[in-house]
Amino acid sequence: MFFHLNTCRYNKAVWWFEKTLAHIPSSLSEMWEPTVVNLAHAYRKLKMHHEAISCYERALKLSNRSLSTYVGLAYTYHLQDNFSAAITYYHKALWLKPDDQFCTEMLSLALVHEGRYGIDPKIEFH
């Protein structure tokens, strides 16, 4: 029941965030970056990782100074076992806030996972 309740809430959140963003009369400005990031977080919670990554990348185009965006992107890649991308974005987040405990711990974990499981040959590097 608990999972179902949260899923309903995240689905509702996605609906509201998408509805809000659809009603913006012009192109998005930096002011809308938190809304796009929250949409990405909701997608990630729903395990819709590709949609989450797309939103995080969209948010980065609006502002490249958001710790939450870099951390969310790193964590989403980490959940997909794309350790190289996760490591890259954890580093970018730590550049913004070097003492972030979550990023530091997750970076260490991603490094261990990459060492243990290797790099997925299907992953493309840009």
Short mmCIF file of all heavy atoms in Angstrom, two decimals, residues 1-11 45-47:
data_model
loop_
_atom_site.label_atom_id
_atom_site.label_comp_id
_atom_site.label_asym_id
_atom_site.label_seq_id
_atom_site.Cartn_x
_atom_site.Cartn_y
_atom_site.Cartn_z
N MET A 1 0.82 -1.19 0.00
CA MET A 1 0.00 0.00 0.00
C MET A 1 0.87 1.26 0.00
O MET A 1 0.58 2.21 -0.69
CB MET A 1 -0.92 -0.04 1.21
CG MET A 1 -1.65 1.24 1.47
SD MET A 1 -3.37 1.04 1.06
CE MET A 1 -3.95 2.65 1.42
N PHE A 2 1.95 1.25 0.80
CA PHE A 2 2.82 2.42 0.91
C PHE A 2 3.40 2.79 -0.46
O PHE A 2 3.38 3.94 -0.86
CB PHE A 2 3.94 2.16 1.92
CG PHE A 2 4.88 3.31 2.07
CD1 PHE A 2 4.47 4.46 2.74
CD2 PHE A 2 6.15 3.27 1.54
CE1 PHE A 2 5.32 5.54 2.87
CE2 PHE A 2 7.01 4.34 1.67
CZ PHE A 2 6.59 5.47 2.34
N PHE A 3 3.88 1.77 -1.19
CA PHE A 3 4.45 2.03 -2.51
C PHE A 3 3.39 2.63 -3.43
O PHE A 3 3.65 3.60 -4.14
CB PHE A 3 5.03 0.75 -3.10
CG PHE A 3 5.57 0.94 -4.49
CD1 PHE A 3 6.76 1.61 -4.70
CD2 PHE A 3 4.86 0.50 -5.59
CE1 PHE A 3 7.26 1.81 -5.98
CE2 PHE A 3 5.35 0.70 -6.87
CZ PHE A 3 6.55 1.35 -7.05
N HIS A 4 2.21 2.08 -3.42
CA HIS A 4 1.13 2.56 -4.29
C HIS A 4 0.79 4.02 -3.97
O HIS A 4 0.59 4.83 -4.87
CB HIS A 4 -0.11 1.67 -4.16
CG HIS A 4 -1.27 2.18 -4.94
ND1 HIS A 4 -1.31 2.15 -6.31
CD2 HIS A 4 -2.44 2.76 -4.54
CE1 HIS A 4 -2.44 2.68 -6.73
NE2 HIS A 4 -3.16 3.05 -5.68
N LEU A 5 0.73 4.35 -2.69
CA LEU A 5 0.43 5.73 -2.27
C LEU A 5 1.47 6.70 -2.81
O LEU A 5 1.14 7.75 -3.35
CB LEU A 5 0.40 5.80 -0.73
CG LEU A 5 -0.92 6.18 -0.10
CD1 LEU A 5 -0.88 5.91 1.37
CD2 LEU A 5 -1.31 7.57 -0.41
N ASN A 6 2.75 6.34 -2.65
CA ASN A 6 3.81 7.22 -3.15
C ASN A 6 3.79 7.32 -4.66
O ASN A 6 4.01 8.39 -5.22
CB ASN A 6 5.18 6.74 -2.66
CG ASN A 6 5.45 7.15 -1.24
OD1 ASN A 6 4.89 8.12 -0.73
ND2 ASN A 6 6.30 6.41 -0.58
N THR A 7 3.54 6.20 -5.33
CA THR A 7 3.47 6.22 -6.79
C THR A 7 2.37 7.17 -7.25
O THR A 7 2.58 7.95 -8.18
CB THR A 7 3.23 4.79 -7.33
OG1 THR A 7 4.31 3.95 -6.91
CG2 THR A 7 3.14 4.79 -8.84
N CYS A 8 1.22 7.11 -6.61
CA CYS A 8 0.13 8.02 -6.98
C CYS A 8 0.53 9.47 -6.78
O CYS A 8 0.22 10.33 -7.61
CB CYS A 8 -1.12 7.70 -6.16
SG CYS A 8 -1.92 6.17 -6.65
N ARG A 9 1.21 9.75 -5.67
CA ARG A 9 1.64 11.12 -5.40
C ARG A 9 2.65 11.61 -6.43
O ARG A 9 2.58 12.75 -6.88
CB ARG A 9 2.23 11.22 -4.00
CG ARG A 9 1.19 11.11 -2.93
CD ARG A 9 1.79 11.23 -1.56
NE ARG A 9 0.76 11.07 -0.55
CZ ARG A 9 0.98 10.72 0.68
NH1 ARG A 9 2.22 10.49 1.09
NH2 ARG A 9 -0.01 10.61 1.54
N TYR A 10 3.59 10.75 -6.81
CA TYR A 10 4.59 11.16 -7.80
C TYR A 10 3.96 11.30 -9.18
O TYR A 10 4.33 12.21 -9.94
CB TYR A 10 5.78 10.19 -7.83
CG TYR A 10 6.64 10.33 -6.59
CD1 TYR A 10 6.83 9.26 -5.74
CD2 TYR A 10 7.26 11.54 -6.28
CE1 TYR A 10 7.61 9.39 -4.60
CE2 TYR A 10 8.03 11.68 -5.15
CZ TYR A 10 8.21 10.60 -4.31
OH TYR A 10 8.97 10.73 -3.19
N ASN A 11 3.02 10.43 -9.50
CA ASN A 11 2.30 10.58 -10.78
C ASN A 11 1.55 11.90 -10.81
O ASN A 11 1.53 12.60 -11.83
CB ASN A 11 1.33 9.41 -11.01
CG ASN A 11 2.02 8.20 -11.56
OD1 ASN A 11 2.95 8.30 -12.35
ND2 ASN A 11 1.57 7.03 -11.13
N LYS A 45 11.83 9.07 -9.15
CA LYS A 45 11.13 8.30 -8.10
C LYS A 45 10.19 7.27 -8.72
O LYS A 45 9.94 6.22 -8.12
CB LYS A 45 10.34 9.23 -7.19
CG LYS A 45 11.19 10.15 -6.36
CD LYS A 45 11.76 9.41 -5.18
CE LYS A 45 12.38 10.40 -4.22
NZ LYS A 45 12.77 9.74 -2.97
N LEU A 46 9.68 7.55 -9.90
CA LEU A 46 8.81 6.61 -10.61
C LEU A 46 9.61 5.61 -11.45
O LEU A 46 9.02 4.83 -12.19
CB LEU A 46 7.83 7.38 -11.51
CG LEU A 46 6.78 8.19 -10.78
CD1 LEU A 46 6.07 9.14 -11.75
CD2 LEU A 46 5.78 7.27 -10.09
N LYS A 47 10.94 5.67 -11.33
CA LYS A 47 11.85 4.80 -12.08
C LYS A 47 11.76 5.02 -13.60
O LYS A 47 12.04 4.13 -14.39
CB LYS A 47 11.63 3.33 -11.72
CG LYS A 47 11.91 3.02 -10.26
CD LYS A 47 11.72 1.58 -9.94
CE LYS A 47 11.93 1.18 -8.51
NZ LYS A 47 12.32 2.11 -7.53
#
